[in-house]
Each structure stands twice: as C-alpha cells, then as structure tokens.
Amino acid sequence: MNIRTDLAIENKEMYDEENKGKGVEISGVEVDKKQFDENINVTNIKITDEHGSQVLNKPIGNYITIEVQGLVDEADVLKESLKEKVAKAVAEELKKLVQFHYKLKVLVIGLGNDKVTPDSLGPYTASKVKVTRQYFLIYEAEGDEEMSCVSGFIPGVMGTTGMETAELIRNAAEIAKPDVIIAIDALAARNIERISTTIQISDTGISPGAGTGNMRKELTKETIGSKVVAIGVPTVIDSRTLILDSLSGFLKDPVKAEKYIEENGQDMIVTSTDIDQIIKDFSDIIANAINITLHPGIYS
C-alpha cells in the first residue's frame, strides 16, 4: 500500500512489518535506541548509503525521533515539568547536529501558515526563539561565549506572499550568512498517535509544505548554501493513509481497496481535535530546545 509519512521511523516500522518481524537489519541503515526519561524515548536512524536511502525512501543522513508519552493527558503543573524534560532531550540531540562555538551564526526559519492551525508550528516556534543578531551588529561583535548570533525569519506561504518560499529564504541567508539554518515545519504521519507524541530532527534538509501536501522547492545545503537542520512534528494524516492503515488487517484485497479510494475518494488532510494545544505545547518545547542549544550561557 502507498502509505504517506514524513517520518523515517515509520518507514522503518513499515519495512519491519512487510518483512514479518521487528528490528529487521537493513544494509546502509543504523538504528540506535535509548531512553532519556521514563516517558521519553529517542531513536536515531542513520542512513549511510544509497541502498539504505532507497529502502527507507529518505536521503542519506541522520533522523532523530523523540517520542514522549502522556503530554496531552497531564495536568497543567505536571505538563510544564514534562515539557521542560522533553526540551532538554530535544536539545541534547540537536547539539549533535548544531554544535555551539564562539562565532556560530544560525538562521531559524518558521515554515508554514499561521492562519491554518495544523500548519502553524513553524511560525509559532520561530516567534519564541531568542533572536540576537541585532546585538552583534550594534556592538560590532564577531562572536560571544554565551550566545550565538541568531536571526529569525517567518517567510509565510506562496498563497499569501506570491513568492517562492525557497527564494525568500535564500535571500535571507545571503543577509544573515548563517553557518546553519534550522527550519521548523509541520509533517505528515501514518499513525494518529504520533501527532501528540513525536518530534523528528534531521540534517538532510526539508521540503516546505510537505506535511500539508503542498510541497515547494527543497531547502538543502545544495539549494541554499548552508547546512539545513529540520525539526518537525507530525500534525496531520492523509485521509487515504488513515483509512488504509487503520483497515489493513481487515482488507482481503488491499491493492483493490487502495485503487478504489484513489478513484472515488477525495484528497483530504486529517488532524487531531486538540491540535491547538498540541501546536502550543510542541512550539514551546522546540523553541526552548533551540534556545538551550544556541544560547548555552543564557538557557540551561
């Protein structure tokens, strides 16, 4: 079946299912799992060659998945404590891809549309990241021991700006001259439970609008000129994926069912009923993690 997902961990899970087992080894793919906390699990999938890339349908690189259980169900006081723990876990993994140094320059991009809730993760997260480039300009500082030179940019979407997002980001990068671009965006998942539990970090770039099915030009080191680290949270599920995956164990002829949906169904995006709270919680977590990573002398 043609199951749509932006998560490397779900591609690996589908490969395991198709091969009738869990943890099936794939040449060119390295998987490392660890538990950060009682409710927080981390899975690092490293694709090392073209064979691994083809099997998992992802570019060569690192895909780090942080999964947190109970965030939506916790009472407010306990939730804030858990959010802090998750932010530290995300920061610990992000530091492996973005290493702080005295002259580090970073451009943080909030991809998406803040007028459409499931697509608003990027703008809301970027607005909470501490931007510092203005201080470096005012004091003509080359670097700092406690904080990075951080620029922020929320480019909007082509439907409201009339301009290609990748072009806007390329121009912003020419001004900021970043060592690294951190791009935050909404993703699509296979499993509805991942919408309230999962964060993916990767160092292979990103296609703006991928989560909501409106893919634009890719943002990669080759297209932008700077290393691109993507942070995403699945906020939507393709309706066809939801139907086929939910009924996979009951369909006598999955191929025929998929063909029927393709010919008679409509392309729709499904999200959770509490997506507003999910966007708030995960934008808080990711922004906090970015601040911890880029400004170690201010945040801890």
Side-chain angles (χ1 to χ4, degrees), residues 126-142:
S127 69
K128 300 173 184 178
V129 172
K130 185 172 182 61
V131 172
T132 58
R133 182 172 180 267
Q134 66 272 28
Y135 305 127
F136 286 81
L137 293 176
I138 292 171
Y139 294 105
E140 298 181 350
E142 290 187 354

Side-chain angles (χ1 to χ4, degrees), residues 136-176:
F136 286 81
L137 293 176
I138 292 171
Y139 294 105
E140 298 181 350
E142 290 187 354
D144 191 273
E145 294 180 352
E146 296 187 341
M147 63 182 181
S148 305
C149 178
V150 177
S151 305
F153 185 43
I154 301 173
V157 293
M158 194 173 187
T160 59
T161 66
M163 293 177 281
E164 183 65 60
T165 301
E167 295 297 327
L168 293 173
I169 294 173
R170 186 180 293 112
N171 290 332
E174 289 178 0
I175 296 171

Side-chain angles (χ1 to χ4, degrees), residues 116-119 186-187 192 195-196 212 234-239 242 268-276 278-279:
V116 180
T117 304
D119 196 29
L187 304 177
I192 191 70
I195 290 180
S196 59
T212 54
T235 62
V236 296
I237 295 181
D238 176 76
S239 59
L242 180 61
M268 291 186 292
I269 297 295
V270 181
T271 191
S272 173
T273 54
D274 54 357
I275 190 63
D276 298 77
I278 290 170
I279 293 295

Side-chain angles (χ1 to χ4, degrees), residues 164-201:
E164 183 65 60
T165 301
E167 295 297 327
L168 293 173
I169 294 173
R170 186 180 293 112
N171 290 332
E174 289 178 0
I175 296 171
K177 296 179 173 56
D179 301 302
V180 181
I181 293 174
I182 297 178
I184 307 105
D185 200 9
L187 304 177
R190 165 198 183 191
N191 187 333
I192 191 70
E193 292 181 1
R194 293 202 185 275
I195 290 180
S196 59
T197 62
T198 306
I199 298 171
Q200 176 176 268
I201 308 172

